[in-house]
């Protein structure tokens, strides 16, 4: 495998972590597996939150909140809140 094909490679190349015992390396790997499993569950829940919000809009809602963001359907384009746009680069 070419270094460019390795998605795990850092800016300088892949990292190497050394362990001195089987229990130590297993503890590290199992901990990482648990972390990524939680992340996957959280991401799935977040995607489902957005799908539920989309469904509510399909059913006629004009406003939905996902996380800390409220999405509002308006008829007038001039009422768009652009206060945060200055922070976007």
């Amino acid at each position: 495998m070419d270094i460019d094909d390795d998605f795990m490679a850092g800016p300088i190349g892949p990292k190497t972590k050394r362990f001195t015992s089987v229990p130590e390396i297993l503890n590290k790997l199992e901990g990482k597996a648990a972390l990524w499993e939680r992340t996957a569950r959280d991401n799935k829940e977040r995607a489902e939150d957005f799908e539920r919000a989309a469904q509510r809009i399909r059913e006629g809602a004009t406003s939905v909140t996902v996380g800390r963001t409220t999405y509002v359907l308006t008829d007038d384009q001039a009422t768009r809140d652009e206060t945060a746009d200055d922070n976007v680069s």
Side-chain angles (χ1 to χ4, degrees):
M1 173 181 1
D2 185 59
I3 189 72
D4 295 330
D5 296 332
D6 184 5
F7 70 94
M8 302 287 287
I12 311 173
K15 291 191 240 178
T16 301
K17 297 194 178 205
R18 290 177 167 63
F19 299 88
T20 57
S21 68
V22 170
E24 183 183 14
I25 195 169
L26 286 176
N27 186 47
K28 182 66 170 184
L29 294 171
E30 290 166 349
K32 289 285 189 177
L35 171 81
W36 283 104
E37 287 169 0
R38 282 191 303 275
T39 300
R41 276 194 306 273
D42 291 347
N43 287 341
K44 184 176 186 324
E45 289 173 13
R46 183 72 163 182
E48 289 169 351
D49 290 345
F50 279 103
E51 185 52 44
R52 281 190 293 273
Q55 184 59 37
R56 290 190 55 222
I57 294 294
R58 286 185 204 101
E59 293 169 351
T62 58
S63 173
V64 293
T65 300
V66 179
R68 297 183 301 169
T69 303
T70 298
Y71 300 85
V72 180
L73 181 62
T74 62
D75 291 333
D76 184 9
Q77 290 292 326
T79 62
R80 183 174 181 273
D81 178 6
E82 298 178 356
T83 55
D85 290 353
D86 293 336
N87 297 328
V88 177
S89 55

